[in-house]
Amino acid sequence: MKFKLQFIILLTLIIIHINAIEKGELNGCYKKTQHEKRLSLRYVKNCFDWCSEEFYRYSIIDDSTCMCENILREAKIEEGKCNRNCTHDNEQIICGGDQVESIYETGSNLPGPVQNLIVNYTTEDKIVLLFDHPERNGTELTGYEAIAVVLDTYSKYEWARRNITRMIDKPLHKFELSELIPSTEYNITIISKNNELDGGKKNIIAATRLAAPSPISYVPKVLKFSNGTANVEIQRAINNNGPISKYLIVVHFVDNELIHDFDETLLDTYQKAKDDGLSYYITGEIDEFQEEKKNFIIGDGQTYGKYFNAPLPSGKHFHVLVGIASRLYNEEKITYSNNSHHDLHDSHFILTQIDDKSSENSSDAIVVLLTVACIICGLVLLGSILFYGYIKTKINPRINRFERHEMSLQGPILEVDNNGFIADVSGINFKEKLQEVLLSLDDDQKIIRKNLSLDIDNILGIGQFGDVIRGQLNTNIPCQVHVVSADDMDPPIQTKFIRDLNSLLQFGFHRNMLNFMGICQTHDWFFVVFEDTPATLKQFLLSNRQNDGNLSSQRATNLSENELIRLMYELGETIEYLHYNKIVHKNLNSYNVRIKRQNSAYTIKLSIFGPTLYNIGEDGIKNMVDEERWFAPEVTRIQKFSYKSDIFSFGLILWEICTLGATIYGSIATNDLFSRIKKGFRPDKYTFISEDLYQLMLNCWELDANERSEIIDVVSHLKQMQSAPNYYLNYTYDGQLPYYLPLLEIKN
């Protein structure tokens, strides 16, 4: 009787258990006999007790799939190996084994959406989100994916409307989207991830804050000035960082034609400037206009907005500037046009009071005199051109006209510091000086023309001394050939060419500079030959990216941290060698740094002669590189090259190496860089760059050139970093590499 009662109870429990499983109400494992093995009620109960303590939720799993751990993962385990001990009444009972099957509830292995998603704060180019993790329910959460879709933006750049995707492997409560466009509204979707599978999604609308208007407005043009007034022409501005709410017209008086920077925060009305003793004030404001140009009369005595347009005093030098004001979300930003003597040449005037009648009489006489003078000068110029053409044709006819290449005038890469290192060659016959250079060469550097083959259709670059084309030396050695024509260079360029060539020969060979192979001379041409390398530093870094760092559990690059820091050190050591020989490179950028593979390792090869070669895109199109993007601010402003301007450029290349070829200042057009750098803008720091390494770069980017690091100090730090490279760089990181934007790096 007792046995029958136990059997009835056992049968009832099994039926209830099976029904619960079918309804999805029970989680755990269930023992089922095979080959008519007898089930023990205590045995089944103990297994249920253990499984209820270890609460699971699993996906549909077939009979050959077994889960024996309290984590979510699917694994094929051989039959009979899925055993877990159950402890009950101090007895160990195996829940599983050869004669049982595990039965699981149908569920989901995907996490749900994040909870309580809010915007923590925003900046001009960053949105930071806060949220809580989704309900786990036994599922595994490996990370998140954020997709930002542009809903509305003021930027005119096509790339500004790209969708942005960021990955983060570790489940965090805080998510940061950077490198965004100012004054832009985004629809941001956060996707919970289980490895490569998408879970729940949650979206939120957020916008970046207003930034200063960019690009900088054109300098207004003064069309006419008379007694106390000036008629200026203002061009309609373009603002990629927000709306244009108004234009502010600024008058800035200068002494003895010296230009003094003004403090934008002190700009105010004419009366306030007069009370404070300031030499600059806002003389009027006008609303946004749609036409291309608009005229404004300075000094007409009217009031525009809250500003009184005061008459201009006589006999004073003054500049006219325009400020672009942008207002959005109760925030206003203003950008003023550059205040430089070069840019403001057309807006720099002296007002003088004159008598109207006398001015009319004298103006007629002046017009007549100027007309006669212009005609005489034009005739003299025309005659000179005709005479020069006649002499050139008769005295020095061309023999190989098909080899002629057009020249362009660019700044030289190599410049010797003005301390007597290279003697001045002005006034010396250019061809005689070239012969002296040839006589100073070693025999193996005097190349016979038949040993040099040229691919005249494969132009690699155009510089001030001539074209750079691809060639081969002795039929099998690839080389770069600088094609020089003495007749096509003006005397100042000839002087620079001799100076650079002497500098090149004087400091000789360095293992990390493009090797000078020799010179070949013909009747009309002069070929300077260098070794060729397959890739620039920019191409090398981009080719070694790993899918932009998006692959989970994978490094951002297959290059080692030690290898990249070694390349930084090699480049720094090469620049130190140049500065030791009193040579300013003047054009350091990632396109003038070449990469060569030697003895199974990559090494730096710095180009120190000639122009920056073309950037060849994926479509095969050649474009000139916008070298100004790597210039120090004093170079952009007044073309002041120095050892310290090289340091600034070197710091930018260090950042490019760390970011595997990303575009420096990726959110700013080149013509806006000076004003942004002057206000403290620098390339961003990323999580894979240590604070120490980033600080080393910041020391190279000081606005005051005198405060920048010395090259010897930078090289010393880079040498020390090689002892612990993974501390300073670590590419096993969360997130995406910054973008490479080729359109920003080429000249338009």
Side-chain angles (χ1 to χ4, degrees):
M1 184 68 182
K2 183 179 180 180
F3 175 77
K4 290 182 179 180
L5 181 60
Q6 289 179 346
F7 180 79
I8 292 172
I9 294 173
L10 175 62
L11 183 60
T12 303
L13 287 173
I14 292 174
I15 293 173
I16 294 173
H17 175 62
I18 294 174
N19 290 335
I21 291 175
E22 291 175 351
K23 295 178 181 179
E25 297 174 352
L26 182 64
N27 299 279
C29 57
Y30 164 66
K31 292 188 63 67
K32 182 174 68 177
T33 61
Q34 295 181 1
H35 306 296
E36 298 182 353
K37 291 265 181 165
R38 182 170 173 269
L39 276 174
S40 167
L41 177 61
R42 185 166 64 91
Y43 191 27
V44 174
K45 183 176 182 301
N46 287 338
C47 286
F48 285 165
D49 290 341
W50 179 83
C51 293
S52 64
E53 293 173 1
E54 302 292 327
F55 187 84
Y56 298 108
R57 182 177 296 274
Y58 295 103
S59 58
I60 299 177
I61 303 176
D62 59 28
D63 291 340
S64 62
T65 302
C66 188
M67 301 294 296
C68 287
E69 300 179 60
N70 192 20
I71 62 172
L72 176 65
R73 66 181 182 87
E74 295 181 353
K76 300 291 185 181
I77 301 178
E78 297 179 7
E79 185 178 357
K81 301 297 183 182
C82 183
N83 300 328
R84 292 298 293 264
N85 290 333
C86 299
T87 301
H88 185 74
D89 295 335
N90 297 321
E91 295 185 30
Q92 295 290 330
I93 301 175
I94 296 178
C95 183
D98 296 339
Q99 306 303 322
V100 301
E101 296 178 357
S102 296
I103 299 175
Y104 304 96
E105 176 193 7
T106 300
S108 172
N109 66 342
L110 297 177
V114 299
Q115 302 180 85
N116 304 321
L117 177 62
I118 61 171
V119 177
N120 185 20
Y121 69 90
T122 62
T123 66
E124 296 176 359
D125 60 353
K126 185 184 302 181
I127 296 175
V128 179
L129 305 175
L130 290 179
F131 52 82
D132 294 329
H133 294 313
E135 294 183 2
R136 301 298 291 270
N137 296 330
T139 61
E140 184 180 13
L141 177 68
T142 60
Y144 301 102
E145 179 181 15
I147 301 176
V149 178
V150 175
L151 298 179
D152 189 22
T153 182
Y154 290 93
S155 178
K156 308 303 185 296
Y157 297 117
E158 184 176 349
W159 53 265
R161 293 188 172 272
R162 69 187 187 280
N163 295 338
I164 298 174
T165 302
R166 297 283 190 273
M167 299 291 296
I168 183 166
D169 294 336
K170 295 180 181 179
L172 301 177
H173 289 278
K174 190 174 184 179
F175 201 93
E176 179 180 296
L177 281 168
S178 58
E179 294 185 341
L180 304 180
I181 308 301
S183 306
T184 299
E185 189 177 47
Y186 292 91
N187 183 3
I188 304 173
T189 302
I190 305 295
I191 306 174
S192 304
K193 302 286 288 188
N194 177 3
N195 294 319
E196 298 300 322
L197 300 177
D198 292 346
K201 302 179 181 180
K202 190 79 170 180
N203 72 292
I204 190 171
I205 306 297
T208 51
R209 297 182 62 179
L210 182 70
S214 175
I216 298 173
S217 174
Y218 294 104
V219 176
K221 181 179 181 181
V222 177
L223 303 176
K224 181 182 178 182
F225 58 94
S226 59
N227 299 337
T229 63
N231 186 0
V232 297
E233 180 183 85
I234 302 170
Q235 293 191 15
R236 182 168 63 90
I238 296 175
N239 182 16
N240 291 308
N241 291 339
I244 297 176
S245 55
K246 58 185 177 182
Y247 295 78
L248 301 176
I249 315 302
V250 178
V251 173
H252 184 193
F253 294 103
V254 294
D255 298 325
N256 299 323
E257 301 187 8
L258 294 177
I259 302 169
H260 305 280
D261 290 336
F262 61 85
D263 187 345
E264 298 175 4
T265 61
L266 299 179
L267 269 174
D268 210 314
T269 63
Y270 168 77
Q271 187 60 46
K272 186 72 166 57
K274 186 177 179 181
D275 295 341
D276 295 341
L278 299 177
S279 60
Y280 44 84
Y281 60 91
I282 300 174
T283 195
E285 67 177 28
I286 57 177
D287 295 331
E288 181 187 10
F289 52 89
Q290 296 303 317
E291 55 267 35
E292 288 298 321
K293 299 175 182 178
K294 188 177 184 68
N295 289 356
F296 182 83
I297 305 297
I298 297 177
D300 63 1
Q302 302 295 318
T303 299
Y304 296 88
K306 66 176 183 178
Y307 302 103
F308 174 60
N309 189 14
L312 295 168
S314 61
K316 280 195 174 184
H317 297 269
F318 75 98
H319 291 279
V320 181
L321 296 84
V322 65
I324 305 302
S326 180
R327 175 172 285 275
L328 188 67
Y329 308 131
N330 297 322
E331 186 177 15
E332 186 176 67
K333 297 286 182 69
I334 304 175
T335 296
Y336 294 92
S337 55
N338 284 334
N339 191 4
S340 66
H341 66 282
H342 175 73
D343 292 335
L344 297 176
H345 178 75
D346 289 335
S347 61
H348 179 201
F349 294 92
I350 305 174
L351 287 179
T352 305
Q353 299 284 356
I354 57 176
D355 182 73
D356 291 341
K357 294 182 179 180
S358 60
S359 63
E360 291 179 2
N361 296 332
S362 60
S363 60
D364 293 338
I366 292 173
V367 170
V368 173
L369 290 175
L370 288 176
T371 303
V372 174
C374 290
I375 294 174
I376 295 174
C377 291
L379 292 175
V380 172
L381 178 62
L382 180 61
S384 300
I385 293 173
L386 294 175
F387 181 74
Y388 173 77
Y390 173 79
I391 295 298
K392 186 176 178 69
T393 304
K394 294 297 182 180
I395 296 178
N396 188 25
R398 291 270 181 203
I399 295 177
N400 297 323
R401 292 182 181 273
F402 65 91
E403 292 186 1
R404 179 179 177 86
H405 297 283
E406 293 298 326
M407 305 297 161
S408 68
L409 297 180
Q410 297 181 6
I413 286 181
L414 201 62
E415 180 176 281
V416 181
D417 200 27
N418 187 19
N419 56 8
F421 178 63
I422 297 297
D424 186 12
V425 296
S426 59
I428 301 176
N429 184 278
F430 181 58
K431 292 188 176 180
E432 290 181 1
K433 199 63 183 178
L434 284 180
Q435 291 304 316
E436 292 180 14
V437 172
L438 285 174
L439 291 175
S440 67
L441 294 175
D442 297 335
D443 290 339
D444 59 345
Q445 293 178 327
K446 299 175 182 178
I447 300 174
I448 302 174
R449 181 63 182 89
K450 67 178 182 180
N451 294 335
L452 181 65
S453 58
L454 305 176
D455 184 1
I456 61 175
D457 294 324
N458 192 354
I459 300 178
L460 304 176
I462 298 177
Q464 63 168 5
F465 302 141
D467 295 349
V468 182
I469 64 177
R470 183 151 279 152
Q472 282 194 334
L473 186 61
N474 299 327
T475 70
N476 62 349
I477 303 176
C479 59
Q480 298 175 10
V481 183
H482 296 250
V483 182
V484 180
S485 171
D487 295 331
D488 287 334
M489 287 194 291
D490 295 331
I493 305 301
Q494 292 176 350
T495 300
K496 292 179 181 178
F497 176 74
I498 293 297
R499 184 195 310 168
D500 285 5
L501 197 56
N502 275 321
S503 302
L504 175 69
L505 299 177
Q506 193 156 352
F507 63 75
F509 173 79
H510 189 280
R511 65 183 180 278
N512 293 122
M513 295 191 302
L514 278 183
N515 185 29
F516 168 68
M517 304 178 74
I519 293 176
C520 175
Q521 185 185 31
T522 65
H523 183 271
D524 286 314
W525 301 97
F526 198 74
F527 304 108
V528 184
V529 184
F530 290 85
E531 70 173 314
D532 194 17
T533 56
T536 64
L537 176 62
K538 174 70 75 171
Q539 294 167 335
F540 171 76
L541 294 171
L542 293 172
S543 65
N544 281 284
R545 285 187 167 199
Q546 289 279 40
N547 196 28
D548 282 347
N550 276 333
L551 295 180
S552 60
S553 71
Q554 193 174 51
R555 288 168 51 82
T557 177
N558 53 8
L559 298 172
S560 68
E561 288 81 357
N562 181 59
E563 195 166 19
L564 290 171
I565 291 181
R566 179 180 56 80
L567 293 178
M568 298 181 202
Y569 171 71
E570 285 185 359
L571 180 57
E573 195 179 35
T574 310
I575 297 170
E576 182 183 10
Y577 177 76
L578 291 178
H579 290 184
Y580 176 79
N581 284 281
K582 298 180 175 57
I583 292 175
V584 180
H585 190 286
K586 293 184 64 176
N587 206 6
L588 283 172
N589 60 62
S590 56
Y591 292 92
N592 267 328
V593 180
R594 318 288 293 187
I595 293 292
K596 188 173 183 179
R597 192 174 181 87
Q598 292 180 338
N599 300 326
S600 72
Y602 296 104
T603 187
I604 289 290
K605 287 287 186 177
L606 178 61
S607 174
I608 60 171
F609 185 90
T612 299
L613 304 187
Y614 289 139
N615 173 31
I616 303 177
E618 294 181 356
D619 52 6
I621 297 177
K622 298 178 179 178
N623 294 288
M624 296 185 70
V625 177
D626 193 348
E627 301 149 344
E628 294 184 13
R629 202 163 194 82
W630 286 264
F631 282 173
E634 67 271 16
V635 174
T636 303
R637 175 95 181 213
I638 56 175
Q639 294 293 299
K640 183 181 180 181
F641 292 95
S642 66
Y643 302 133
K644 292 304 182 77
S645 66
D646 277 357
I647 293 293
F648 191 97
S649 302
F650 176 51
L652 295 176
I653 299 177
L654 293 183
W655 187 89
E656 284 183 279
I657 293 176
C658 291
T659 58
L660 300 173
T663 298
I664 51 176
Y665 315 114
S667 60
I668 306 175
T670 303
N671 59 350
D672 297 333
L673 279 177
F674 176 75
S675 62
R676 298 295 296 274
I677 292 173
K678 187 178 178 181
K679 294 178 180 179
F681 185 87
R682 298 294 185 272
D684 291 335
K685 179 194 176 299
Y686 291 87
T687 56
F688 49 86
I689 305 175
S690 72
E691 291 288 348
D692 292 340
L693 180 52
Y694 186 67
Q695 185 61 52
L696 183 69
M697 301 178 203
L698 289 176
N699 294 341
C700 297
W701 299 331
E702 289 286 351
L703 189 62
D704 186 347
N706 295 324
E707 295 181 3
R708 291 173 200 156
S709 297
E710 298 290 341
I711 186 63
I712 188 172
D713 296 328
V714 179
V715 173
S716 176
H717 280 89
L718 290 172
K719 186 175 183 179
Q720 294 175 8
M721 289 180 184
Q722 293 184 82
S723 61
N726 291 92
Y727 171 77
Y728 298 99
L729 276 178
N730 190 348
Y731 290 108
T732 306
Y733 78 104
D734 304 322
Q736 186 181 42
L737 290 170
Y739 289 102
Y740 164 59
L741 304 170
L743 293 181
L744 285 180
E745 297 188 7
I746 62 175
K747 288 186 178 179
N748 297 322

